[in-house]
Amino acid sequence: MIADWLDIGWLDQIPVRGSRTVPVAGGEEIAVFRTGDNQVFALVNRCPHKGGPLSQGIVHGHSVACPLHNWNIALATGSAQGEDKGCTPVVPVKVVSGRVLICRASALQAAA
Amino acid sequence: MELSGNDWSGEAGGSPDVPPRREHLVVIGNGMAGCRAVEELLARDPDRYRVTIFGAEPHVNYNRIMLSPVLAGEKAFEDIILNGHDWYRDHGIELVTSDPVISIDRQARSVMAASGRTVSYDRLLIATGSDPFIIPVPGHKLDGVISFRDMADVDRMLAAADVGGDAVVIGGGLLGLEAAHGLTLRGMKVTVLHIMPTLMERQLDEAAGWLLKTALEARGQTILTGADTDEILGETHVEGVRLKDGTLIPASLVVMAVGIRPNVRLAREAGLAIGRGVHVDDHMVTSDPAVLAVGECVEHDGNVYGLVAPLWDMCRALADGLVEKPSGYRGSVTSTKLKVAGLDVFSAGDFSGGDGAEDIVLRDAARGVYKRVVVKDDRIVGAVLYGDTADGGWYFDLLKRQADIAELRDVLIFGQAFASGGGQADPKSAVAALSDTAEICGCNGVSKGMVVSCIAKGAKSLDAVRAGCKASASCGSCTGLVETLLALTLGDDVEAGPRTMCKCTSFGHDDVRREIVAQGMRSTPEVMQRLHWLTPDGCASCRPALNYYLLCALPGEYIDDQQSRFVNERMHANIQKDGTYSVVPRMWGGITNPRELRAIADVVEKYDAPMVKVTGGQRLDIFGIRKEDLPAVWADLNAAGMVSGHAYGKSLRTVKTCVGSEWCRFGTQDSTGLGVKIERMTWGSWMPHKFKIAVSGCPRNCAEATIKDFGVVCVDSGYELSVGGNGGIKVRATDFLCKVATEAEAMHYCAAFVQLYREEARYLERTAPWIERVGVDYIKARIADDAEGRDALAARFLFSQSFSQEDPWAQRVADDARQHAHMAEFRPEGGMA
Ligand SMILES: Cc1cc2nc3c(=O)[nH]c(=O)nc-3n(C[C@H](O)[C@H](O)[C@H](O)COP(=O)(O)OP(=O)(O)OC[C@H]3O[C@@H](n4cnc5c(N)ncnc54)[C@H](O)[C@@H]3O)c2cc1C
Ligand code: SF4
Ligand code: FES
C-alpha cells in the first residue's frame, strides 16, 4: 500500500518563522513553513505574482511576504492578500509526533 | 449485600457458598483515570461488578497533579489522597499495590502480576497512564537522573534538595517548570534547559512564553532556550550537563521532563490494536470487546491526551457503556490553566488560528498582562492569557459552546465583567461615563479630567496630548482611551498623528526607537510586549525594523532574530528575479589580485554561474548561484582570503576609490589607501539602509564621491567631506559637511556621521531623505561643530563594530549551513531521499 503521507523530517528542522524546501523531481519545489505559534503549512514555492520563492520570505502571523515584491500570501489558503490577486497551490501537511508529513497526492500534483 | 474485598480471591468460578457470581472487572493502573472510572461505575450501579485494581505504586489513589505542590512544600502526601483505604474497603474493591501487571492473556481472560499472582477477568480495564520520555543522551542512566511522574520521583527530588546544590531541569514545558519551581523553593540553584526557542510552546505563543521566561528569571532561575543537551556528565552520579554548544552546567540532580509516551506495552504484547496509544472506540472499548482502556494510555479518534479534564469525559462514557447505557465519548477540547511557579497562565483550544482566523490582542505592560483571543467566523477558537487569567473560564465556555461573539467583539478582550456591564454598548459611551477623576494613564497618573482639559487647551492630536499632559506617552496602553477622549471632545476636529510604524502598532518609528533605548530592550518579543503590539508577531515591515533598532541600541547584547531579516541578509547574497542568488566578495577599496581573481574564476566555472559583472561599486558580482550552493561558494571564496561584500545588506556596501596620488598625475592624496582604510573600519556595520562611500583623489572626482552617502574629495590642503548623496531614482548630490586636514580626522568624522545616521534615521530611510528631513544644518551641528558629541558618536560606532566585523559567510559555513539545504527531496519514482 502506498502511504498517503510522506514523511519529510523533524519539525525541529524548520526554523520558527522560517521555512525549508522540498524539491519534487520533475515538478515544482514545495515550501514548508513553520509559524511563530508552531503551526506548519506547505505551499508550492512560487509566488502567484512573478514566481518569487516564497520559502525565502518573512513569515509573520500566518502569512509570508514574498521576497521579490513583498506580496503577502496567506499560508493556509495560498491566496494573495489585500489588493493583490492570485493564488499558490496549497499542499496539505501535518505534524505527527514531531515528524512533518506532506500529502503524497498533492506533492505529485504539484509535480505535474 | 455486604462484601469485603478479601472475600474475593480473584479466581474465576467460585465455590457453592459464595454469593451469586458477579462479573469481575480488573483494572490495571491505580491512577487518576483507573480509579475515576471505577467511581463513575459505582455511582451508576454499585452492585454490577466485582472490582480488583492493580497498582504498580505502593500508594492508594492520589491526585497526580498535586505532586507539584508536594514538591514545593505546600502540601503533604496525605493532603493529595483521592481515595483512601476505606474507600476501597467500603466498596469491596480489592487493591493490589506494588505489584505491576506484567502480562495479559486474552484467551484465558486473565492477567498476571510481577509476583506471579494470576487473576481472571470478565472485563479488563487498562489505565496504565504514560511513561516519561527519557532522552537517551550519554549519561542518562546515571544515578541522580530522574523523571517527574510519581510520588517516588518527588521523594528523590526532596532527598536531593536536602543536600542542596545545583539542579538541571531538561524540558521547559509545564512539568519541567513546576519541577524547577519546586526545587528552587527547596533551595536548589536551578537551570532549565529547553530545546525550543520559547517556553511551553505547545500551550503558549511566543509573547506569553517570553513573559513567562522573564518572570522566572526574575525569580532566580536560569532559563536557557534553544539548549540542546549533548551529554550528562559524571562517573556514577550526575555531576553536570554539557550542551551541544559546549556549555557546561554543574548539577547534582537532573530532572528530565521532556514529554510523556502512552504506556502501551501490556496492550501491545496482548495483541490489541495500538497507534500512539491503545485504540479505543467512543465507548472506550479496545479492539477486544472484553478489554477497555481509559486515560493517558489511549488514543481516541487520532488524539491522545495528557491532561485530566478529558479523562473525566472518557470515564463517564466508559461507565455508561459498562452499565449498558452507552453515551459515547466525542473527544475533548482542552484548556490548560497553569499555576507555573505561582504565575497565571491559561491556554485553550487552537490559539494558532489558521485560515481566516483573526487575533484580538491586549497587552498591558505595566500590569504584566498579555491576552490573545483567536476568533474565526465570529466564534472563539482559541485563547492564550498571561498574567490575568480570570476570564479564562469565560472564554473557554464561549469556545466550547461555539457562541456567536459578533456583538461582543469590540469588548471581548476586556473580559466578562466589562463585556456584560455596559461595555457591551458603545465603548465610547463607557468612556464618556467615566468620572473626571478616573485614571486614564496609569504610568503617568493622568486622570480623565486632566486629559480633557489638555484637549480643551488646544491639543488636537494624540501627540499633542502626549506632549501636553503625558497621557499615553509611556507604555501607550491607554492610547485607545485617549483617542476616544479626543473624539468625544473634539468630534471631527481631531488631527491625525504622524504615521505609525505599521498597522501592528500605534507608535511611530521615532517613538519606538526612543522607547527601545530608554528601556534598554533587548529582544523583539520584549518590544512587542512593552509597546503593546497589536499582532502576535508583527509583520514583514516592522520586524526587520525592530531587529535593526535593537542591534543599533544595544550592540553585543541584543538578541538577533534571523527570521526578521530580509532574505538577502538571511542568505548573505542577493536574491535575483529567478530566485537564484548573486554573490559579491569584498574587494577592499576596489583592489584585487591574481589569487582572488583565480578563486572567483574557479567559482564561476565550478558552479556554472552564467554571468560575472563588474558592479557600480567596483566589485565583481557572480550571478546565478543556487541557494543550496551558497555555503560551498563562500567556503571557496573564504579559502582565497575573501569575505562577504555585504552587497546584499542594509549595511555598508562599498568604498569606491580612484587611483589617487600613487598613479594619477592629478592625485593630491592617496585616495585608494584611504578608501581601503575606511572600508576596513566600516565594513560589516548594519545600517537603516544601504550605505556607500567613495574617495576621490582630486576634484575631478573619478570615484563620484559627491553622489555617495559619505564622500571624500582629496585636495592639496586636506580632505573635503560631504554627505547625503545618492544615485537612485532621484539623483542627489551631497551636501558639503566640512573640510579636515588629516586622514585620521577624515576617518573619525566618517565614523561619527555613520553612527549618527545609524542612530537617528528611520529604518529604510537612506541618508538623502533623512538629511532632507532633519536639515543639513542639524548634521553640521552634530558632526562638525560639536567635538565632544562627535567623539562620542565615533566611539559608539567603533564599539558596535567590535561585535559586527565577523565574516557572515565564514560564520554560516561553520555553524549552520542547514538554512540552505533542502529539507528532503521527493522523487515520485524513487521515493524520498
Ligand atoms: C507532576 C504532574 C503534574 C501534573 N499537572 C497537571 C495539571 O495541572 N493539569 C492536568 O490536567 N494534568 C496534569 N498532569 C497530568 C495528569 O496527572 C495526567 O493526565 C493523569 O494523571 C493521567 O491519568 P491516568 O490514569 O491515565 O494515568 P496515571 O495517573 O499516571 O495513572 C496510571 C497508573 O498506572 C500505573 N501502572 C502503569 N503500568 C502498570 C502496570 N503494568 N500494572 C499496574 N499499574 C500500572 C502507574 O503506576 C500509575 O499509577 C500532571 C502530571 C504530573 C506528573
Ligand atoms: S579623481 Fe583625480 S586623482 Fe583620482 S583618478 Fe581622477 S583625476 Fe586622478
Ligand atoms: S513574485 Fe512574489 S511579490 Fe512579486
Side-chain angles (χ1 to χ4, degrees), chain B residues 658-661 664-669 671 696-703:
Chain B
C658 72
V659 293
S661 59
C664 178
R665 61 201 162 105
F666 302 110
T668 66
Q669 312 277 0
S671 53
S696 286
C698 81
R700 285 172 187 77
N701 194 13
C702 293

Side-chain angles (χ1 to χ4, degrees), chain B residues 378-631:
Chain B
D378 290 330
R379 308 272 185 273
I380 297 182
V381 295
V384 183
L385 309 178
Y386 180 95
D388 174 2
T389 54
D391 287 305
W394 183 58
Y395 292 129
F396 189 48
D397 180 55
L398 293 172
L399 185 158
K400 275 196 298 192
R401 288 197 284 116
Q402 284 295 288
D404 187 330
I405 51 93
E407 301 277 289
L408 289 175
R409 208 192 142 100
D410 287 351
V411 291
L412 187 68
I413 199 73
F414 301 116
Q416 183 172 22
F418 191 79
S420 47
Q424 250 190 66
D426 182 7
K428 258 194 193 175
S429 60
V431 176
L434 291 173
S435 71
D436 268 0
T437 53
E439 185 172 87
I440 297 292
C441 172
C443 300
N444 297 301
V446 187
S447 68
K448 176 181 164 188
M450 292 158 82
V451 175
V452 172
S453 84
C454 174
I455 297 170
K457 281 190 205 128
K460 292 193 166 187
S461 68
L462 182 61
D463 250 23
V465 172
R466 283 178 177 164
C469 67
K470 284 255 168 280
S472 150
S474 296
C475 81
S477 59
C478 57
T479 303
L481 286 174
V482 173
E483 280 169 342
T484 309
L485 283 175
L486 276 163
L488 281 171
T489 320
L490 296 174
D492 293 340
D493 283 346
V494 183
E495 286 167 9
R499 293 221 296 135
T500 62
M501 213 165 133
C502 64
K503 63 175 185 353
C504 306
T505 174
S506 55
F507 287 103
H509 279 266
D510 299 340
D511 302 321
V512 172
R513 281 204 95 154
R514 196 188 52 237
E515 290 301 326
I516 288 177
V517 174
Q519 305 191 33
M521 293 188 243
R522 294 170 60 231
S523 73
T524 305
E526 182 176 9
V527 178
M528 290 183 176
Q529 171 65 19
R530 294 221 189 147
L531 301 185
H532 308 272
W533 240 242
L534 305 169
T535 48
D537 60 1
C539 69
S541 95
C542 61
R543 287 241 311 274
L546 290 183
N547 200 48
Y548 170 74
Y549 293 151
L550 287 163
L551 84 79
C552 181
L554 281 180
E557 284 180 50
Y558 88 106
I559 299 160
D560 192 62
D561 178 13
Q562 275 291 307
Q563 300 306 337
S564 286
R565 286 177 177 257
F566 184 64
V567 55
N568 284 356
E569 289 182 8
R570 235 179 311 125
M571 289 294 139
H572 296 297
N574 273 22
I575 193 163
Q576 302 297 350
K577 66 184 276 187
D578 64 351
T580 64
Y581 291 80
S582 73
V583 168
V584 182
R586 201 166 277 292
M587 288 176 177
W588 306 97
I591 300 177
T592 183
N593 59 38
R595 185 169 41 97
E596 293 183 349
L597 288 171
R598 220 171 270 129
I600 290 175
D602 287 345
V603 161
V604 172
E605 259 176 14
K606 187 163 158 193
Y607 299 95
D608 240 347
M611 180 161 90
V612 193
K613 183 174 183 316
V614 180
T615 69
Q618 302 175 331
R619 307 293 187 268
L620 286 174
D621 197 350
I622 311 166
F623 282 87
I625 303 292
R626 295 183 307 162
K627 177 187 76 174
E628 47 285 21
D629 288 337
L630 285 171

Side-chain angles (χ1 to χ4, degrees), chain B residues 27-35 54-57 62-68 96 99-102 127-131 148-150 154 174-175 178 260 263 265-266 294-297 305-311 335-339:
Chain B
V27 181
I28 310 177
N30 186 34
M32 306 278 285
C35 286
F54 279 90
E57 296 180 65
Y62 62 87
N63 189 346
R64 197 170 303 282
I65 68 182
M66 301 305 265
L67 286 178
S68 311
V96 184
D99 195 7
V101 172
I102 56 166
T128 47
S130 309
D131 286 329
F148 185 18
R149 180 74 202 170
D150 56 26
V154 173
L174 165 68
L175 227 50
E178 292 199 339
I260 52 171
N263 179 354
R265 193 183 56 79
L266 281 176
V294 73
E296 273 184 357
C297 60
Y305 296 93
L307 293 171
V308 291
L311 310 187
S335 76
T336 328
K337 190 156 183 177
L338 310 171
K339 27 162 182 48

